[in-house]
Amino acid sequence: MVVYRSSTTAPVNIAVVKYWGKRDPKLNLPTNSSLSVTLSQDDLRTLTTASASEAYTEDVLLLNGAPSDLTGARTQACLRELRTRRAALEDKNPSLPKLAHLKLLLVSENNFPTAAGLASSAAGFAAFVRAIADLYELPASPTELSLIARQGSGSACRSLFGGYVAWRAGDKADGLDSQAVEVAPASHWPQMRALILVVSAAKKGVSSTSGMQQTVATSGLFQQRIATVVPANMDLMEQSIADRDFAKFAEVTMRDSNSFHATCADTYPPIFYMNDVSRAAIRAVETINQAAGKTVAAYTFDAGPNAVIYYLEENSEAVLGTFYPLLQSVDGWKQSTNFKSTVQLDET
Ligand code: PMV
């Protein structure tokens, strides 16, 4: 029996202006715009192969070799949308093979630990959507696909691009204007580097969905964040990227991470994603910047304790050389499972 097949990879992205808060949980529409940097696929990526065949009796997802749930509402929303588009294409071109009604086998593999607290869902849903869209030969741009991937996991919409990517929140109720766009390709600022410090490989205590829900519902500070802090940070961030102004890029990155974690601490009861080792990483960045006499490193933290440090290639020695010995003396650091330098950003 014929098996139709398509493979793709999608990279991890790490936000420098954070998405935090849903204005429509069902459609995954955000309360604010966000902006991220896409990391190198050599270091962190998901590889997904989508196959369709009459021989399959049900949709199946294998994630790192193990059967994984496909029945979640978000996954189903992505599948529904992709099949609807394929069916429309088949109606228009009767000579196309009828794939829309066939069951799918999806085989997905991360080249990093899924449970490491890194943004695996972003790369995962981006690869999932693109692999099926390619299999279905949908004539869709990354921005169009971002509308579908967003419904799987908000941050996934940014993983359809390399380089510097904005997710415009939009304000339409149907979410058709809530999509990702490229701000600049990686080649615009090829000296950019990211260092991932895996402080803890444990799964996060409060999921991003429930953390966002609680923050929107109970934090007063959050209202200020979405009304004034994020809009200003988006403007400053886009300008700093256009100007390749690292000191400005770094300051906005660190301030936005601080602001996001402050709103988490402002919820009731409070949510703490960072731990003592995370805070030691912040102090290490401050030490590096003081020693350099200018801002050469920036930290940012997602919904977990792991740090991502951005820096420019020319400052590799100062950043990498200083980080390791500094953190050697920090309690808890020696148990860290990884000390990873991701070099190069991706074009995708
Ligand atoms: O896409 P989600 O639902 O996993 O949420 C991601 C939220 C943060 O990683 C904390 C911020 C971001 O913009 O990626």
Side-chain angles (χ1 to χ4, degrees), residues 15 18-20 22 34 121 153-155 158 208 212 260 302-303:
K18 305 289 187 195
Y19 150 52
W20 196 251
K22 299 178 201 278
S34 55
S121 68
S153 168
S155 55
R158 298 184 313 237
S208 49
M212 287 185 204
F260 152 49
D302 278 347

Side-chain angles (χ1 to χ4, degrees), residues 60-292:
V60 171
L61 169 63
L62 295 178
L63 179 55
N64 294 329
S68 194
D69 184 34
L70 266 177
T71 59
R74 303 247 184 84
T75 311
Q76 286 299 319
C78 293
L79 282 174
R80 211 168 32 243
E81 186 123 355
L82 289 158
R83 283 193 161 118
T84 304
R85 288 179 185 221
R86 172 68 191 189
L89 203 62
E90 289 169 9
D91 285 349
K92 255 201 262 162
N93 308 283
S95 61
L96 285 176
K98 304 278 177 273
L99 301 188
H101 74 286
L102 297 183
K103 299 296 181 199
L104 292 164
L105 169 64
L106 297 143
V107 180
S108 216
E109 215 180 85
N110 293 334
N111 64 347
F112 57 95
T114 302
L118 297 166
S120 58
S121 68
F125 270 109
F128 180 91
V129 168
R130 186 148 59 193
I132 301 172
D134 288 353
L135 174 74
Y136 287 172
E137 296 182 60
L138 299 181
S141 67
T143 289
E144 281 171 303
L145 291 183
S146 79
L147 288 165
I148 305 175
R150 186 205 75 224
Q151 297 177 50
S153 168
S155 55
C157 72
R158 298 184 313 237
S159 271
L160 288 159
F161 294 88
Y164 304 82
V165 187
W167 174 11
R168 308 283 181 213
D171 55 15
K172 287 191 180 152
D174 60 11
L176 289 177
D177 57 349
S178 188
Q179 58 192 16
V181 293
E182 183 187 88
V183 166
S187 57
H188 168 74
W189 206 354
Q191 301 85 358
M192 186 66 81
R193 298 289 181 270
L195 168 70
I196 318 283
L197 302 172
V198 180
V199 171
S200 163
K203 256 191 134 64
K204 55 194 165 202
V206 181
S207 74
S208 49
T209 296
S210 50
M212 287 185 204
Q213 200 176 14
Q214 191 175 316
T215 309
V216 173
T218 71
S219 166
L221 200 56
F222 175 73
Q223 299 308 325
Q224 190 190 335
R225 171 168 167 79
I226 60 170
T228 57
V229 176
V230 171
N233 284 352
M234 285 296 289
D235 288 348
L236 289 167
M237 185 56 78
E238 287 187 52
Q239 197 56 54
S240 74
I241 292 167
D243 298 344
R244 295 186 201 91
D245 179 345
F246 187 82
K248 182 51 77 187
F249 169 91
E251 183 182 338
V252 179
T253 297
M254 293 187 279
R255 281 183 181 275
D256 195 81
S257 177
N258 295 348
S259 154
F260 152 49
H261 288 278
T263 66
C264 292
D266 187 48
T267 64
Y268 191 77
I271 301 170
F272 303 114
Y273 286 118
M274 290 191 285
N275 63 20
D276 285 348
V277 184
S278 317
R279 284 183 281 276
I282 293 179
R283 282 191 292 276
V285 167
E286 284 168 356
T287 306
I288 290 165
N289 289 336
Q290 267 158 23

